[in-house]
Each structure stands twice: as structure tokens, then as C-alpha cells.
């Protein structure tokens, strides 16, 4: 067994980390853990609500606590971990996870990811939004174009941070999820 066998998936929101991660863990016959799920268990709130009500610092603290819990329970064991999209802005959480294994970036095309994010968002006539990621909503965009511009700018910055952080970059193809998981497992 490898000393640090974890596979830690990073990438922008809706890049497929959780979907691919669950199937990859199944293929590798190991547990799957989603940092956002652990945040919810620890705080009793969704990661989005933690960010909205406690701000970026409160969210980063919750994210770090989730990573510490994952580390305490699974360090040295094979596991696939899906991180939240903003983990690249949380050096303490990254440091905690880095001793567990390798970072793998899921580098889905920005257009596809943007479409996924905005398929869940709704702009009302009064200018309020529902379903937007908190970091976009906090910028108070008035139009869908403004919201997409905020998303694109933030994600472009994050893609570079993920690439620097990652030991491996995986670019999903238009093949099925199962075929992408097989390709990812092969290159690991």
C-alpha cells in the first residue's frame, strides 16, 4: 500500500468532481468523501449558506475543519476526496489534504461548467437571484451577463490555481461518465 494513497479531486464548481469521484472510488474499491458533505454535517448548513451567512472567512474555517476531520479519519488509507470549488483559496485546507495523497484537477471546459451553473440559477424580475453560487451573488449582479462575467473571471483565476496545485490534470471528454472514469483510473 502506498504511504499517501488518497486521490484529491479539485476543479471549478460543477466540473464533475463528485460525479466522477463517486464512480472512481467504486472502481478503486475505496471510500468516497465530499468535503462539502462533511461541511454540512459539521455545521448543519449547506456550504452555500455557510458562505452567505458567515462570509468567506467563516466558510474557509468550516472547510478547514472538514479537511481536518477527513484527515483524522482517513489519513494513510485509500480514498477519493472531492473538494469544493474554492479550496484553492484555502491554503490551510490544501496543506492538510496534501499529506494524504495526490491532487488531480478535473479540467472541464469553462463553457460546459458555466451552462451547468446557470441551469440552476434564476434571475427574478425584481433583480434577485436564486441558486447562484454565493461568491457571485455577493457581487450583486443585475443581469445574467454580469453574473456570467463574474463567474468566468473567477473561474479563469481558479483554473490557474488548480493547475499549479495539481499533480495531474484530467480533461473529461464527451464520452460517457463511465468511460471518463476508466480513462482517469488508467492514468492514475
Amino acid at each position: 500500500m502506498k504511504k499517501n494513497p488518497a486521490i484529491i479531486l479539485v476543479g471549478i464548481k460543477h466540473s464533475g468532481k463528485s460525479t466522477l469521484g463517486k464512480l472512481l472510488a467504486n472502481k478503486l474499491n475505496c471510500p468516497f468523501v465530499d468535503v462539502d458533505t462533511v461541511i454540512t454535517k459539521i455545521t448543519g448548513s449547506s456550504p452555500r449558506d455557510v458562505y452567505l451567512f458567515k462570509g468567506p472567512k467563516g466558510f474557509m474555517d468550516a472547510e478547514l475543519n472538514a479537511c481536518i476531520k477527513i484527515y483524522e479519519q482517513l489519513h494513510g488509507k485509500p480514498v477519493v476526496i472531492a473538494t469544493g470549488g474554492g479550496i484553492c483559496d484555502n491554503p490551510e485546507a490544501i496543506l492538510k489534504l496534501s499529506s494524504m495523497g495526490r491532487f488531480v484537477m478535473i479540467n472541464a471546459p469553462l463553457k460546459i461548467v458555466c451552462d451547468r451553473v446557470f441551469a440552476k440559477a434564476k434571475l427574478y424580475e425584481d433583480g434577485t437571484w436564486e441558486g447562484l453560487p454565493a461568491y457571485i451573488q455577493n457581487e450583486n449582479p443585475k443581469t445574467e451577463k454580469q453574473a456570467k462575467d463574474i463567474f468566468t473571471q473567477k473561474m479563469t483565476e481558479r483554473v490557474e490555481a488548480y493547475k499549479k496545485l495539481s499533480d495531474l490534470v484530467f480533461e473529461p471528454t464527451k464520452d460517457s461518465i463511465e468511460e471518463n472514469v476508466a480513462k482517469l483510473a488508467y492514468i492514475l
Side-chain angles (χ1 to χ4, degrees), residues 13-187:
K13 181 178 183 65
H14 290 299
S15 61
K17 300 179 299 288
S18 294
T19 302
L20 289 170
K22 288 174 192 170
L23 294 171
L24 180 63
N26 189 46
K27 186 169 189 65
L28 299 175
N29 197 28
C30 68
F32 169 76
V33 179
D34 189 313
V35 172
D36 285 347
T37 301
V38 178
I39 289 170
T40 300
K41 286 179 183 174
I42 290 172
T43 66
S45 299
S46 71
R48 183 179 188 285
D49 284 347
V50 172
Y51 190 96
L52 282 173
F53 299 113
K54 296 193 175 185
K57 172 78 170 89
F59 177 80
M60 287 173 38
D61 289 346
E63 186 174 54
L64 174 59
N65 289 335
C67 292
I68 290 168
K69 185 173 184 92
I70 293 166
Y71 177 89
E72 288 171 348
Q73 292 177 346
L74 296 164
H75 185 261
K77 298 177 182 172
V79 61
V80 176
I81 302 167
T83 63
I87 200 155
C88 60
D89 297 328
N90 194 340
E92 289 180 79
I94 289 168
L95 184 61
K96 185 50 77 176
L97 293 177
S98 67
S99 65
M100 293 181 70
R102 300 188 288 163
F103 285 97
V104 177
M105 178 188 179
I106 306 299
N107 192 24
L110 188 58
K111 165 105 175 68
I112 290 171
V113 174
C114 186
D115 290 347
R116 289 175 185 166
V117 168
F118 283 90
K120 296 183 176 195
K122 179 173 172 105
L123 175 60
Y124 293 101
E125 288 183 20
D126 66 359
T128 61
W129 285 90
E130 180 182 328
L132 263 188
Y135 64 88
I136 298 174
Q137 191 166 326
N138 284 350
E139 297 290 325
N140 201 23
K142 301 296 183 206
T143 65
E144 185 172 317
K145 182 185 180 323
Q146 286 177 348
K148 285 183 175 181
D149 287 347
I150 293 165
F151 175 80
T152 300
Q153 178 183 348
K154 187 69 163 179
M155 292 308 102
T156 301
E157 293 166 6
R158 285 185 174 173
V159 163
E160 292 310 309
Y162 300 132
K163 285 181 179 177
K164 288 178 186 172
L165 168 67
S166 297
D167 301 295
L168 176 70
V169 176
F170 177 71
E171 299 191 7
T173 63
K174 292 183 180 182
D175 295 328
S176 72
I177 293 170
E178 292 78 13
E179 289 171 308
N180 276 291
V181 169
K183 289 175 190 176
L184 179 54
Y186 179 78
I187 64 173

